[in-house]
Amino acid sequence: MPQERKNLAIAQLGVVDYPRALGLQTAMVRARLEAAIGDSLLLLEHPHVFTLGRAADEKFIVTPRPGVPVHRVSRGGQVTYHGPGQIVAYPIFKLEGNARDVAKYLRALEAAALAALARCDIAAGRRPGLTGVWVGPRKIASIGVGIRRWVTYHGLALNVSADLSYFDSIVPCGIEGCEMTSVAREGRPDISVAQFAEFLAGGFRETFGYAEVSFVEPAKLWALVDPGESMAEDRTIEGRIT
């Protein structure tokens, strides 16, 4: 999906609570629309959380876990899990010209993940009619995006060393019988989240055609956020999901 882009600013944020990350995305989408920042990529982990897309069916949370919050948010897709050991990538990109194609953007996110996995010697691929990345019959990366006036947010989650038992509580992405996997399960337990984040950053640079990459101090991005800011569509679902 090359677009003759110049620079990709990357921020490695460590572990960030899900609502706080939503607030940061809100601020950055606004700043990107105002041309106050350029294209940016957030790389981070979340504490344990389940998320539902804007039109997702709550029935796909089959076994709620005490202490694990559930958020309904403004991305596409069904239910997924985020947690420690999983790298999450949130691109704040302005899609222009021929890149204003949602399907093309989704395929580009898959390509970035595939390039990173290739660095680990993991042979992954796509499945016809489905979004995401698989290793054989098992899914390793999930994608759910939001686009506001052609600026992207939400994004991609890839299991590096995540506790896959949390996926047993849901029907991942609403796909019955979907089995999840991770980089560690596929024979590379030596790969850390930090190391895989470097591979993924390279995958984004290559796939989206950035000439340069720069790294941003997280404090500069957090300064964009108004206190209490979050995506308007986000809500925490309290109590048992039935």
Side-chain angles (χ1 to χ4, degrees), residues 92-128:
I92 312 297
F93 292 174
K94 186 175 183 181
L95 303 182
E96 300 181 288
N98 293 334
R100 290 187 172 183
D101 182 316
V102 176
K104 186 183 294 185
Y105 175 61
L106 293 174
R107 301 294 80 78
L109 292 178
E110 292 167 349
L114 289 168
L117 289 165
R119 293 281 303 276
C120 305
D121 297 319
I122 294 176
R126 299 179 171 96
R127 292 183 66 178

Side-chain angles (χ1 to χ4, degrees), residues 10-215:
I10 298 176
Q12 297 176 326
L13 302 180
V15 179
V16 182
D17 285 342
Y18 195 82
R20 193 164 184 244
L22 281 170
L24 180 58
Q25 289 180 78
T26 300
M28 292 183 69
V29 167
R30 181 179 62 244
R32 188 68 187 93
L33 286 168
E34 296 171 352
I37 62 171
D39 284 357
S40 304
L41 177 65
L42 307 179
L43 297 174
L44 53 93
E45 295 175 77
H46 288 304
H48 301 295
V49 63
F50 295 122
T51 71
L52 293 157
R54 54 184 169 268
D57 195 325
E58 294 176 11
K59 73 179 182 181
F60 291 126
I61 300 181
V62 294
T63 311
R65 292 212 177 192
V68 179
V70 179
H71 294 274
R72 183 178 292 279
V73 295
S74 53
R75 61 165 175 80
Q78 287 287 341
V79 64
T80 196
Y81 159 77
H82 299 304
Q86 180 191 79
I87 186 69
V88 180
Y90 292 136
I92 312 297
F93 292 174
K94 186 175 183 181
L95 303 182
E96 300 181 288
N98 293 334
R100 290 187 172 183
D101 182 316
V102 176
K104 186 183 294 185
Y105 175 61
L106 293 174
R107 301 294 80 78
L109 292 178
E110 292 167 349
L114 289 168
L117 289 165
R119 293 281 303 276
C120 305
D121 297 319
I122 294 176
R126 299 179 171 96
R127 292 183 66 178
L130 296 173
T131 298
V133 176
W134 274 259
V135 180
R138 299 178 294 277
K139 192 172 190 183
I140 195 167
S142 301
I143 294 171
V145 305
I147 299 177
R148 179 173 297 176
R149 290 166 52 195
W150 293 109
V151 171
T152 67
Y153 58 106
H154 293 293
L156 176 152
L158 192 147
N159 302 315
V160 180
S161 56
D163 181 349
L164 299 177
S165 70
Y166 280 84
F167 287 100
D168 295 340
S169 296
I170 64 175
V171 178
C173 304
I175 304 170
E176 294 289 349
C178 181
E179 182 182 3
M180 301 300 293
T181 191
S182 66
V183 171
R185 182 180 176 184
E186 297 302 325
R188 294 304 306 269
D190 56 306
I191 302 291
S192 67
V193 172
Q195 185 176 6
F196 194 86
E198 294 180 7
F199 297 160
L200 191 56
F204 270 91
R205 177 179 181 176
E206 172 187 330
T207 301
F208 287 88
Y210 291 96
E212 299 176 357
V213 168
S214 61
F215 290 89

